[in-house]
C-alpha cells in the first residue's frame, strides 16, 4: 500500500514535518506501507505558476500523481490566521477534482497555541469532505506545549490506527471484489412481496 504524506511546513526544521513524520511512523507500525513525502515548501513556485499558466511543472506533476495514486494520505498544515496555510490550500486547489474521492485521509495541524485546535474541525475536515475524501475520525493537533507532553502520542497512535484500518480495508475490498448481485426490477420485487 502506498501512503503519501503532504506537509505544508515552511521552516527547517518544521514542527509540521515532525508531526507528519510521527504520524507516518505510527501508520507504518500498524500496516505495511510504501511511504512518499510531498514537501509543499519545495513546490511553492510551481504551484503559483500552475495557477497562472494552467500547467504543472515536473515536480508538481509528480506530487499530484503521487497523491492521486496513494492508498491513503496524511495531510499536515501549520495554522495561519486561524486556518490552514495558503500554500496547503493552493496545492489541493490544483489537484484534479476527483483525485481524493473515496481516499482515506488523516488530517493534522500544528500551531503555537491550543486555541487554534478547532481548525481541524472548522477548516480541514470540511475541505476534505468537499473533496469527497474519507477523513478518519481522529484528527491530530499539536500546539507548542504538546511536544513531549502526555497525550500527543496516544492521539497519534489512535489516528494512525484508524488510517491503517481504512487503507487495509479499502485495499482488500479492491482486491476481493464481491460477485455482482442480479438487478431485480422494482415491479418484480413488489410482486414477490405480494406473493409472500
Amino acid at each position: 500500500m502506498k501512503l503519501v504524506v503532504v506537509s505544508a511546513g515552511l521552516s527547517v526544521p518544521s514542527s509540521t514535518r515532525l508531526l507528519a513524520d510521527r504520524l507516518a511512523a505510527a501508520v507504518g507500525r500498524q500496516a505495511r506501507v510504501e511511504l512518499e513525502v510531498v514537501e509543499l515548501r519545495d513546490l511553492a513556485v510551481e504551484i503559483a505558476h500552475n495557477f497562472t499558466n494552467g500547467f504543472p511543472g515536473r515536480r508538481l506533476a509528480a506530487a499530484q500523481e503521487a497523491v492521486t495514486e496513494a492508498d491513503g494520505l496524511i495531510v499536515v498544515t501549520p495554522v495561519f490566521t486561524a486556518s490552514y496555510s495558503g500554500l496547503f490550500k493552493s496545492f489541493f486547489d490544483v489537484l484534479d477534482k476527483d483525485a481524493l474521492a473515496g481516499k482515506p485521509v488523516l488530517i493534522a495541524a500544528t500551531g503555537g497555541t491550543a486555541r487554534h485546535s478547532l481548525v481541524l474541525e472548522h477548516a480541514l475536515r470540511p475541505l476534505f469532505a468537499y473533496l469527497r475524501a474519507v477523513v478518519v475520525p481522529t484528527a491530530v493537533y499539536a500546539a507548542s506545549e504538546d511536544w513531549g507532553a502526555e497525550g500527543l502520542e496516544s492521539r497519534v497512535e489512535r489516528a494512525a490506527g484508524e488510517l491503517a484500518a481504512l487503507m487495509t480495508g479499502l485495499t482488500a475490498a479492491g482486491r476481493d471484489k464481491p460477485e455482482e448481485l442480479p438487478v431485480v426490477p422494482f415491479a418484480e420485487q413488489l410482486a414477490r412481496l405480494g406473493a409472500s
Side-chain angles (χ1 to χ4, degrees):
M1 290 183 300
K2 183 174 182 182
L3 174 64
V4 174
V5 174
V6 178
S7 172
L10 297 178
S11 59
V12 180
S14 160
S15 62
T16 301
R17 175 61 190 268
L18 178 60
L19 180 57
D21 289 345
R22 285 195 183 183
L23 289 163
V27 172
R29 287 190 292 273
Q30 300 187 43
R32 177 175 236 137
V33 293
E34 173 191 332
L35 178 65
E36 183 172 345
V37 177
V38 174
E39 279 282 2
L40 297 185
R41 177 185 65 244
D42 300 335
L43 301 173
V45 172
E46 288 190 29
I47 291 170
H49 285 167
N50 192 166
F51 278 113
T52 58
N53 66 23
F55 298 99
R58 181 182 51 81
R59 291 185 307 160
L60 177 57
Q64 290 171 321
E65 183 179 342
V67 166
T68 301
E69 293 178 354
D71 294 304
L73 294 176
I74 295 172
V75 298
V76 190
T77 181
V79 174
F80 287 167
T81 320
S83 189
Y84 39 67
S85 72
L87 180 60
F88 182 84
K89 177 66 163 61
S90 295
F91 175 72
F92 290 100
D93 284 344
V94 299
L95 280 180
D96 181 86
K97 65 180 182 61
D98 297 321
L100 300 184
K103 194 175 301 293
V105 176
L106 190 167
I107 57 173
T110 58
T113 172
R115 290 189 307 254
H116 292 299
S117 63
L118 285 177
V119 72
L120 294 165
E121 303 305 324
H122 291 282
L124 269 77
R125 196 173 297 277
L127 170 65
F128 288 96
Y130 175 80
L131 295 171
R132 294 177 291 134
V134 179
V135 183
V136 302
T138 302
V140 180
Y141 181 83
S144 298
E145 64 265 19
D146 288 325
W147 297 103
E150 193 175 320
L152 179 60
E153 284 309 311
S154 64
R155 293 194 313 272
V156 165
E157 290 297 328
R158 183 172 61 242
E162 292 168 358
L163 180 62
L166 273 176
M167 289 174 65
T168 304
L170 292 177
T171 301
R175 279 194 313 259
D176 307 315
K177 295 190 182 216
E179 71 178 66
E180 258 184 60
L181 297 174
V183 176
V184 179
F186 185 68
E188 188 177 326
Q189 292 177 30
L190 283 176
R192 287 181 185 173
L193 286 173
S196 57

